[in-house]
Amino acid sequence: MTNFLQPPRLRIGEDSEEERHATWLELFYDLVFVVAVSQLAHNLAGDISLSGWFGFVVLFIPIWWSWIGTTLYANRFDSDDTIRRLLVGLHMLTAAAMAINVHHGLGESSPGFAVSYALGRAVLVVEYIRAGIHIPTARPLTSRYATGFAIAASFWLISAFIPVPWRFVLWGLGIIIDFATPLISRKFQIGLLPHASHLPERFGLFTMIVLGEAIIAVVNGVSEQKWDVLTVTSAVFGLIIAFSLWWVYFDNLGGTPIQQARTHGRVGLVNLWLYTHLPLVIGIAAAGVGVEQILLSKPTLVLSDPQRWLICGSVALCLLAIGILHKFGVIRYCKIRSKYRFAGAGVLLLIAIFGKGLLPVFVIALVAVVSSVQVVQDLYQSRPTTRLVDPEI
């Protein structure tokens, strides 16, 4: 049973004592973002043009950052008291409001989206102020976070009352300040680094949310088509893509950047890990929409250029992001795996460029082959004989 009042406490530095996992409250909180990502995917499916992709990314960033803000706070200062639960409930209300306003989020619903995001950031500011009051050693960091996020939230709130296009200029300024706040506070993070087992798990759970969209896409696509060989084959390839992305991400996941930051003071690795997840989850969510578009297309007609670019480009973005994480040792440091990820992304872009005239099943088959080659390479390299030769290849 929860305590009525339990001040925030410092949750980091507990790595040596025990592994820490997501709480039931955190898992419940994630549910609203399942809905938000689903609404974003629905928006992109309705418009897979370049402008539709741009709108998808613009709206995805604040939703993802809203989740990141609450997750990083909980990682450092979580407490299971009534006030904390009520504040999380307020976070969920603001996230739900953002999901509702995603439709026409760059049009008539943009004021509601901006206010929803601003209110969510305001709740986070209150939490950081509360943590700073009760944890003096964390006050230098919490004060800067509270100040930076409050300024950003003000831009978003004011934007709701400003006409387009200046509204979106304020959005851009607000998100830049939001993103810059942790970067300019690096020296205050070194003594308050995230928990090395809890944060990778939380990032993995959000990645699982967007991977779930890929599975939903396969089910939706097949359920709306007549079952034939081409449709079923395309569905199998869609699942292979999702399974491959799951494999190459989760098989290499760990708390390496946090451990290196704690040992060598390399806080930049933690920030690189954080920000590189943005293109990764954008790519996974868009890949799910791409798979659904292929399954809904006429199997005997040539796949359209926007649909081909969506599936190839989104999976390429995923591999590029994972390759960067490999290259800098943010996940398992491995030169060969990094090269394979980059090469895979390059091949997918070539398919997008030169694949004009291909049927849907051939396009998704090629994407599935490129994705599965990444898994085969990892399996081959993970053989005991290979690891004994050079642990860093």
Side-chain angles (χ1 to χ4, degrees):
M1 185 174 179
T2 183
N3 294 320
F4 177 74
L5 182 61
Q6 179 184 346
R9 60 193 178 100
L10 205 56
R11 298 297 307 274
I12 56 177
E14 300 176 3
D15 307 63
S16 59
E17 299 175 16
E18 60 180 9
E19 289 232 343
R20 181 179 160 202
H21 298 286
T23 65
W24 293 116
L25 181 60
E26 288 178 302
L27 296 175
F28 181 59
Y29 173 73
D30 288 350
L31 293 179
V32 73
F33 287 90
V34 174
V35 178
V37 171
S38 179
Q39 296 302 308
L40 287 166
H42 179 77
N43 258 19
L44 180 59
D47 181 8
I48 59 171
S49 64
L50 188 59
S51 62
W53 165 260
F54 177 77
F56 169 76
V57 172
V58 167
L59 295 173
F60 195 105
I61 291 173
I63 287 177
W64 175 79
W65 192 246
S66 179
W67 181 89
I68 286 290
T70 307
T71 297
L72 287 176
Y73 172 85
N75 182 271
R76 289 185 172 105
F77 308 115
D78 197 18
S79 61
D80 189 22
D81 65 323
T82 302
I83 293 178
R84 168 65 179 158
R85 290 187 176 189
L86 292 176
L87 288 171
V88 171
L90 288 175
H91 274 296
M92 295 181 70
L93 284 174
T94 61
M98 291 172 67
I100 292 170
N101 285 285
V102 158
H103 298 290
H104 310 292
L106 298 181
E108 60 191 41
S109 298
S110 58
F113 186 87
V115 170
S116 302
Y117 179 73
L119 291 177
R121 304 307 286 175
V123 175
L124 184 62
V125 168
V126 170
E127 290 192 296
Y128 273 115
I129 292 173
R130 183 174 180 237
I133 292 172
H134 291 284
I135 310 171
T137 56
R139 198 168 297 155
L141 181 67
T142 59
S143 297
R144 283 161 178 79
Y145 275 18
T147 301
F149 295 154
I151 294 171
S154 299
F155 277 104
W156 280 84
L157 185 61
I158 294 171
S159 74
F161 307 98
I162 302 297
V164 174
W166 298 109
R167 174 178 300 151
F168 302 130
V169 172
L170 291 181
W171 284 23
L173 291 173
I175 208 69
I176 288 171
I177 294 171
D178 260 338
F179 274 42
T181 296
L183 295 177
I184 63 178
S185 306
R186 287 174 58 180
K187 68 178 181 178
F188 302 103
Q189 296 176 24
I190 192 65
L192 297 167
L193 291 169
H195 195 287
S197 64
H198 177 259
L199 195 61
E201 180 184 275
R202 296 297 290 134
F203 277 28
L205 287 170
F206 193 90
T207 306
M208 198 70 77
I209 288 173
V210 290
L211 278 170
E213 282 300 310
I215 306 301
I216 293 172
V218 172
V219 174
N220 287 342
V222 173
S223 64
E224 296 185 27
Q225 290 278 48
K226 291 184 179 179
W227 282 58
D228 56 35
V229 174
L230 292 179
T231 300
V232 173
T233 303
S234 295
V236 171
F237 285 134
L239 288 173
I240 289 174
I241 294 169
F243 187 58
S244 299
L245 291 175
W246 168 85
W247 191 302
V248 298
Y249 175 79
F250 283 97
D251 205 43
N252 294 285
L253 186 63
T256 304
I258 299 173
Q259 293 161 357
Q260 289 196 21
R262 184 169 287 124
T263 304
H264 305 292
R266 301 177 65 186
V267 180
L269 276 181
V270 178
N271 290 324
L272 179 64
W273 182 37
L274 168 64
Y275 293 109
T276 307
H277 270 79
L278 176 58
L280 174 63
V281 293
I282 285 176
I284 294 174
V289 178
V291 169
E292 184 177 16
Q293 289 295 306
I294 288 178
L295 294 176
L296 292 176
S297 61
K298 298 291 184 181
T300 56
L301 297 180
V302 171
L303 189 67
S304 70
D305 291 344
Q307 291 172 325
R308 187 180 69 256
W309 271 99
L310 179 60
I311 184 64
C312 294
S314 56
V315 179
L317 183 61
C318 295
L319 295 182
L320 178 63
I322 296 174
I324 292 172
L325 295 176
H326 278 304
K327 182 176 179 61
F328 292 97
V330 182
I331 57 177
R332 180 179 300 176
Y333 174 67
C334 180
K335 297 177 182 178
I336 291 181
R337 295 189 189 198
S338 178
K339 291 177 180 178
Y340 265 81
R341 307 300 184 247
F342 292 147
V347 171
L348 288 170
L349 291 178
L350 291 176
I351 295 171
I353 296 170
F354 299 107
K356 194 178 185 69
L358 292 176
L359 294 178
V361 67
F362 291 127
V363 173
I364 197 171
L366 290 172
V367 176
V369 168
V370 173
S371 302
S372 58
V373 163
Q374 306 296 319
V375 176
V376 173
Q377 143 62 24
D378 284 12
L379 286 172
Y380 176 79
Q381 192 193 357
S382 295
R383 296 179 307 162
T385 53
T386 305
R387 288 201 302 269
L388 289 172
V389 173
D390 187 347
E392 290 191 349
I393 61 173

